[in-house]
């Protein structure tokens, strides 16, 4: 029995010795083959002489290597100029092609090519040989490729990557902050251009804030033509809401005693639309009385209203002009769907409290004199082309000067723009841009109508269809 065990141990040792010798020879043969592949492909001979653009396909087709071996040699040959220490380990036969190819691919996939060659503050001792010092992460990875088992290599590599990512993330953040910029520029037409480049963290914060202020359009919000509300337009309004909320936050940073709000100065008679010849002042610039009345109705505004004759400031503070928390909550409970305008999908958080009778004209800040409207439709009411009458809690009748109701207006399929902004209400300043936008919207409507018709009548795919040019993105 003992003799049998000794014979088996001897047999195993003999086979193991032969396998180790053959494995060493195979590794040297692989290394020699790799050396020839690198020499051949670095000169571009696989392209000019053999007509192959890819190294892997050239190896497989020309020399009948299997896909795995050809892929490993191709990866090392392509990346050898970047990772000289790893390439040297493969070319010397000390590390297997499998281990080196894995390490190079991981470094590339993780985006750590540069950081793997950045020297350590002080050399790191090899975990396998105290006489070997590793000056860079690549050299340490090379030691793992040479000595570690294939299963251990991934674990060691994960740890090294985590350490490199700590350095990389810090350098990335510093670099992003250096490259970040933003400009907010007023245009000649009174609108503002927003341009810039944000850091990853700032961009994510802004994106999340916009999604919180207004979620992306849902399928059930599509109109009769199957078109969803414009996400870009909703983002613009969401940014306004975020800035306005920030400006009214008592905890927001202050400058000269105020947060990021607009300052309106006007005498009471002018604000009441009396023909005084004077204009309100908004942040140092004259504005129309109509705009002042709109802004003073409900917005992120600090009003300074005074008696022009006596020069006495009139105490019409924010608490008297704006609904308090309890009153606002009551209005929202009575009007849970948000804006009172028929078909408006603006969220309740965007709604502004409109005084049916303007507060400057003596209108009370009470539930009976307030109705919630989104900023767009609130402004529309102030154009004096529309009349609004509150008929009950959260309910109102809105009519155009020509007698048509807001519901009838929204049902008109020939409206110029998706928010019902009719050309009769367009500003001459923006008529050209609004015309372009309306044309784009009409083309989009036509495409949607054709698509719906095909679905309705089940037009066969093989049947010739009328070609309709994609209008592309909105022209702004």
């Amino acid at each position: 029995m003992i003799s049998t065990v000794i014979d088996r141990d001897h047999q195993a040792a003999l086979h193991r010795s032969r396998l180790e010798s053959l494995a060493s020879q195979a590794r040297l043969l692989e290394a020699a083959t790799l050396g020839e592949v690198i020499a051949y492909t670095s000169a571009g001979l696989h392209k000019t002489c053999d007509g192959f653009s890819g190294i892997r396909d050239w190896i497989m087709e020309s020399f009948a290597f299997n896909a795995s071996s050809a892929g490993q040699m191709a990866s090392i040959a392509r990346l050898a100029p970047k990772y000289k220490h790893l390439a040297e380990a493969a070319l010397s036969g000390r590390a297997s092609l499998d281990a080196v190819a894995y390490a190079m691919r991981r470094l590339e996939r993780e985006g750590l090519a540069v950081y793997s060659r950045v020297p350590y503050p002080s050399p790191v001792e090899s975990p396998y040989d105290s006489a070997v010092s590793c000056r860079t992460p690549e050299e340490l990875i090379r030691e793992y490729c040479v000595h570690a088992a294939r299963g251990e290599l991934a674990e060691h590599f994960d740890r090294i990557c985590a350490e490199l990512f700590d350095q990389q993330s810090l350098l990335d953040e510093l670099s992003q902050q250096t490259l970040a910029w933003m400009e907010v520029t007023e245009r000649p037409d009174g609108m503002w251009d927003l341009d810039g480049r944000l850091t990853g963290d700032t961009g994510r914060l802004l994106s999340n804030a916009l999604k919180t202020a207004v979620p992306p359009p849902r399928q059930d919000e599509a109109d009769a033509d199957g078109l969803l509300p414009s996400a870009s337009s909703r983002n613009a309004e969401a940014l306004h809401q975020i800035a306005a909320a920030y400006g009214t936050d008592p905890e927001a940073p202050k400058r000269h005693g105020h947060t990021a709000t607009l300052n309106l100065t006007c005498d009471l008679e002018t604000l009441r639309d009396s023909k005084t010849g004077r204009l309100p002042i908004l942040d140092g610039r004259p504005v129309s009385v109509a705009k002042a009345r709109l802004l003073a109705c409900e917005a992120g505004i600090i009003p300074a209203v005074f008696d022009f004759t006596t020069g006495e400031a009139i105490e019409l503070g924010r608490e008297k002009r704006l609904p308090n928390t309890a009153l606002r909550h009551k209005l929202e409970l009575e009007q849970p769907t948000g804006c009172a305008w028929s078909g408006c999908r603006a969220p309740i958080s965007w709604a502004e409290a409109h005084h049916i009778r303007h507060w400057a004209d003596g209108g009370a800040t009470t539930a009976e004199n307030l109705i919630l409207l989104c900023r767009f439709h609130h402004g529309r009411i102030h154009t004096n082309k529309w009349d609004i009458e509150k008929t009950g809690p959260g309910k109102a009748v809105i009519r155009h000067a020509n007698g048509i109701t807001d519901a009838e207006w929204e049902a008109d399929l020939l409206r110029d723009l998706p928010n019902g902004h009719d050309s009769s209400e367009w500003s001459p300043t923006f008529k050209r841009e609004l015309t372009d936008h309306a044309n784009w919207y009409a083309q989009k409507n036509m495409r949607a109508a054709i698509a719906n018709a095909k679905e309705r009548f089940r037009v066969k795919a093989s049947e010739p269809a009328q070609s309709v040019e994609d209008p592309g993105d909105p022209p702004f």
Side-chain angles (χ1 to χ4, degrees):
M1 184 68 176
I2 295 176
S3 176
T4 303
V5 172
I6 293 174
D7 288 344
R8 289 175 62 83
D9 288 343
H10 176 73
Q11 185 179 17
L14 181 62
H15 285 301
R16 188 177 295 110
S17 176
R18 290 176 178 172
L19 286 171
E20 288 174 350
S21 176
L22 290 171
S24 178
Q25 293 177 45
R27 187 170 295 176
L28 291 174
L29 184 59
E30 282 183 340
T33 304
L34 176 63
E36 292 299 324
V37 167
I38 291 177
Y40 199 86
T41 57
S42 61
L45 299 178
H46 64 296
K47 296 180 180 179
T48 58
C49 296
D50 301 328
F52 284 88
S53 58
I55 299 176
R56 176 176 172 273
D57 291 341
W58 168 71
I59 295 173
M60 291 177 63
E61 295 293 332
S62 301
F63 306 104
F65 277 94
N66 61 46
S68 177
S69 297
Q72 291 166 5
M73 284 189 282
S75 295
I76 297 173
R78 182 171 57 86
L79 298 171
K82 277 189 181 181
Y83 307 106
K84 298 185 184 301
H85 295 288
L86 288 170
E88 182 275 329
L91 288 169
S92 66
R94 293 190 298 140
S96 68
L97 300 190
D98 176 45
V100 172
Y102 170 79
M104 287 183 173
R105 289 167 178 166
R106 277 288 302 269
L107 286 170
E108 284 292 293
R109 188 169 68 248
E110 306 286 357
L112 297 172
V114 174
Y115 298 100
S116 68
R117 300 193 295 272
V118 176
Y120 287 120
S122 58
V124 175
E125 183 180 295
S126 169
Y128 302 97
D129 187 348
S130 59
V132 176
S133 294
C134 304
R135 294 169 297 173
T136 65
E138 183 193 346
E139 293 177 45
L140 180 59
I141 293 171
R142 176 201 60 200
E143 291 300 296
Y144 287 123
C145 287
V146 171
H147 299 285
R150 182 63 175 80
E152 299 173 346
L153 180 59
E155 181 181 345
H156 293 311
F157 205 98
D158 288 341
R159 188 176 67 254
I160 293 174
C161 281
E163 294 171 355
L164 290 179
F165 271 126
D166 282 342
Q167 301 173 42
Q168 180 188 359
S169 62
L170 178 59
L171 293 176
D172 282 351
E173 179 62 26
L174 293 175
S175 299
Q176 287 185 15
Q177 290 180 28
T178 300
L179 294 170
W181 61 277
M182 187 174 73
E183 291 182 352
V184 183
T185 310
E186 187 173 10
R187 293 158 43 116
D189 58 17
M191 296 190 74
W192 291 73
D193 285 328
L194 178 65
D195 195 13
R197 186 179 181 188
L198 306 178
T199 67
D201 289 346
T202 305
R204 277 185 288 273
L205 281 172
L206 178 59
S207 176
N208 289 340
L210 294 176
K211 291 174 183 176
T212 301
V214 54
R218 304 185 310 271
Q219 287 300 323
D220 60 1
E221 294 182 287
D223 62 16
D225 297 319
L227 298 176
L228 291 172
S230 169
S232 57
S233 297
R234 289 160 69 101
N235 282 341
E237 181 61 21
L239 183 59
H240 172 89
Q241 299 296 331
I242 292 168
Y246 173 82
T248 56
D249 183 356
E251 300 299 322
K254 293 179 174 59
R255 186 168 183 264
H256 304 312
H258 298 307
T259 55
T261 53
L262 302 177
N263 296 278
L264 176 68
T265 304
C266 185
D267 66 274
L268 185 59
E269 289 302 312
T270 300
L271 199 59
R272 285 176 174 170
D273 211 12
S274 299
K275 305 303 180 183
T276 64
R278 299 182 292 272
L279 287 174
I281 303 298
L282 180 66
D283 265 15
R285 294 185 179 184
V287 295
S288 68
V289 175
K291 182 167 184 177
R293 286 173 65 88
L294 169 62
L295 293 175
C297 188
E298 161 94 55
I301 299 295
I302 297 176
V305 183
F306 61 93
D307 186 318
F308 183 79
T309 304
T310 64
E312 179 184 3
I314 299 172
E315 295 297 333
L316 290 174
R318 299 175 67 84
E319 69 278 6
K320 296 181 181 179
R321 182 174 60 91
L322 301 180
N324 59 27
T325 302
L327 181 52
R328 172 74 193 200
H329 185 56
K330 171 181 170 60
L331 294 172
E332 291 185 0
L333 287 175
E334 293 175 350
Q335 207 172 320
T337 56
C339 179
W341 190 280
S342 179
C344 180
R345 295 185 290 268
I348 187 69
S349 60
W350 289 11
E352 300 177 346
H354 169 69
H355 287 71
I356 304 296
R357 185 186 182 198
H358 200 282
W359 66 274
D361 298 328
T365 303
T366 61
E368 293 73 24
N369 192 46
L370 294 172
I371 195 74
L372 297 179
L373 294 164
C374 73
R375 193 162 64 103
F376 176 78
H377 290 120
H378 189 183
R380 203 173 205 178
I381 294 295
H382 276 264
T383 63
N384 294 325
K385 291 186 177 182
W386 294 86
D387 180 65
I388 183 168
E389 178 187 357
K390 188 162 185 177
T391 58
K395 299 183 182 301
V397 173
I398 303 174
R399 291 187 182 277
H400 191 267
N402 63 12
I404 191 172
T405 66
D406 59 331
E408 293 169 329
W409 183 277
E410 294 300 323
D412 182 3
L413 297 179
L414 298 179
R415 60 187 183 274
D416 295 304
L417 291 170
N419 59 0
H421 194 189
D422 185 71
S423 57
S424 65
E425 300 174 316
W426 291 359
S427 162
T429 304
F430 302 103
K431 186 173 182 180
R432 182 181 59 81
E433 292 178 79
L434 288 170
T435 299
D436 290 342
H437 193 188
N439 289 336
W440 169 83
Y441 179 64
Q443 291 181 40
K444 193 170 184 180
N445 269 343
M446 182 175 65
R447 292 178 65 248
I450 291 174
N452 288 340
K454 286 182 177 180
E455 179 65 25
R456 191 179 306 115
F457 297 109
R458 298 180 182 178
V459 177
K460 297 180 181 179
S462 59
E463 184 176 331
Q466 180 181 358
S467 177
V468 181
E469 185 178 354
D470 189 338
D473 294 326
F476 45 76

